[in-house]
Amino acid sequence: MTDTTYPRDLIGYGRHLPEVRWPGGANIAVQFVVNYEEGGESCVLDGDPASECLLSEIVGAQPWAGQRNLNMESIYEYGSRAGFWRLWRMFTQRNMPVTVYGVTLAMARNPEAVAAMKEAGWEIASHGYRWLEYKDFPEDVERWHIHEAVRLHTELTGSHPRGLYQGKPSANTLRLLLEEGGFRYSSDSYADELPFWVPGLTADAPHLIIPYTLDANDMRFATNQGFNSGDQFFTYLKDTFDVLWQEGEAGSPKMMNIGLHCRLVGRPGRAAALARFLDYVQAKEKVWVTRRIDIADHWYEHHKPV
């Protein structure tokens, strides 16, 4: 007997996958995300209680209460000063589309990078106002942060963000973004390899989730269980791509997300592995390299909720 009161969906599509037809008859939809966070992380300069401690070369770093961690700050600065531009050149030279998860305050502190994103035709989705643990925030404060993220994002880019990935969400995040309105999709889920619908604020307005990834993600260069060389990163991405491509060839196309960070894969020794993977993808047939908003638009058109 199915428990209809349990709030989690552990079943999903099950054995009955939707009949997916990506544009051009592609076997796989490949989606690269550049997380632009540098300048929006925890820092006492912004009134935060402690320094940043996550996703840097200092694996296992601890927050410094009430103090600046200048080593951590400079590692993040590398991402905005150098790493971003290396990734921007790699993707634009190959004419490969990208979705940016842009932390709004970080983008406000580097308008030249925002201009380059727009010049390249990248989708700029929202990564929230700050890159913070929203589970620790009162609901009204997170509500204000989402509203301010939309306001400032619109001012910086010229348009309302159509996607949102809070990244470190609270139990309130989904409801709050629906209350804010204007989002075509959100991505605070890792639950599937295809988009899926969840209930919205009303029964006639479901919301689209485009799930993201933490495995095919360069963040694993900065975790205890992760990649320690570019070869490991390339092999993992290639194996993921090959399995999904073959499943698509067999009649079950899916989506592959690749998560990137300017301060991590933007380093030369890691960028070399990413470049090999980009060239590998471009050499394959029946591949749709796209932005998340394009996947959302495709799903709205061809896979309406039932």
Side-chain angles (χ1 to χ4, degrees):
M1 180 177 179
T2 302
D3 182 359
T4 58
T5 65
Y6 191 58
R8 298 169 60 197
D9 181 358
L10 300 174
I11 298 172
Y13 293 117
R15 69 177 69 188
H16 303 294
L17 293 174
E19 189 174 337
V20 176
R21 292 189 176 90
W22 296 131
N27 287 348
I28 182 173
V30 177
Q31 207 292 291
F32 294 94
V33 169
V34 171
N35 291 269
Y36 192 84
E37 300 162 342
E38 292 80 5
E41 76 278 8
S42 294
C43 182
V44 297
L45 294 176
D46 288 315
D48 300 317
S51 61
E52 184 56 67
C53 63
L54 295 177
L55 299 192
S56 82
E57 306 299 331
I58 313 172
V59 178
Q62 297 300 309
W64 292 3
Q67 297 184 60
R68 295 175 66 187
N69 183 335
L70 297 183
N71 288 340
M72 184 68 72
E73 289 180 21
S74 66
I75 289 169
Y76 271 72
E77 289 159 13
Y78 179 91
S80 59
R81 292 164 57 114
F84 169 80
W85 295 105
R86 178 166 289 116
L87 296 181
W88 184 82
R89 289 189 291 270
M90 288 173 63
F91 281 100
T92 56
Q93 287 169 1
R94 293 169 174 81
N95 196 31
M96 297 179 80
V98 165
T99 289
V100 176
Y101 284 163
V103 173
T104 323
L105 187 59
M107 294 195 299
R109 289 171 167 162
N110 195 347
E112 186 178 356
V114 176
M117 298 171 195
K118 295 176 65 177
E119 177 187 327
W122 292 359
E123 176 197 4
I124 309 177
S126 179
H127 198 358
Y129 180 60
R130 299 285 311 284
W131 195 60
L132 302 172
E133 285 282 7
Y134 283 98
K135 69 178 178 59
D136 300 325
F137 278 56
E139 180 178 328
D140 61 330
V141 177
E142 185 181 8
R143 178 183 289 107
W144 183 86
H145 274 222
I146 290 175
H147 179 76
E148 185 64 8
V150 169
R151 184 199 67 78
L152 186 55
H153 185 110
T154 303
E155 179 181 314
L156 293 169
T157 69
S159 60
H160 189 296
R162 301 178 73 191
L164 174 72
Y165 173 68
Q166 191 83 297
K168 293 184 278 190
S170 74
N172 300 314
T173 299
L174 179 58
R175 175 173 52 81
L176 292 176
L177 76 88
L178 292 173
E179 290 176 359
E180 173 68 29
F183 293 102
R184 194 153 174 82
Y185 72 91
S186 65
S187 292
D188 281 305
S189 173
Y190 314 97
D192 214 304
E193 293 160 347
L194 288 171
F196 58 91
W197 298 97
V198 296
L201 294 179
T202 62
D204 61 346
H207 178 69
L208 184 65
I209 302 292
I210 301 182
Y212 187 43
T213 180
L214 296 182
D215 70 312
N217 192 312
D218 68 356
M219 67 174 285
R220 292 182 60 199
F221 282 113
T223 59
N224 290 325
Q225 187 278 319
F227 309 123
N228 60 36
S229 73
D231 286 343
Q232 291 179 343
F233 185 47
F234 171 77
T235 298
Y236 193 87
L237 295 183
K238 179 180 177 297
D239 286 349
T240 302
F241 175 91
D242 287 347
V243 168
L244 293 174
W245 192 95
Q246 289 293 343
E247 289 181 1
E249 181 74 357
S252 181
K254 299 184 182 70
M255 176 178 68
M256 178 182 179
N257 302 293
I258 301 97
L260 308 171
H261 297 77
C262 304
R263 63 191 175 279
L264 295 176
V265 81
R267 296 279 179 177
R270 298 169 184 146
L274 175 61
R276 291 200 298 275
F277 182 67
L278 298 183
D279 293 340
Y280 180 78
V281 169
Q282 283 202 312
K284 294 282 286 189
E285 297 180 344
K286 301 171 75 173
V287 178
W288 183 35
V289 181
T290 189
R291 306 173 305 171
R292 297 179 84 74
I293 187 58
D294 302 316
I295 293 173
D297 290 344
H298 179 87
W299 213 258
Y300 271 88
E301 181 177 355
H302 297 284
H303 301 280
K304 293 178 173 59
V306 293

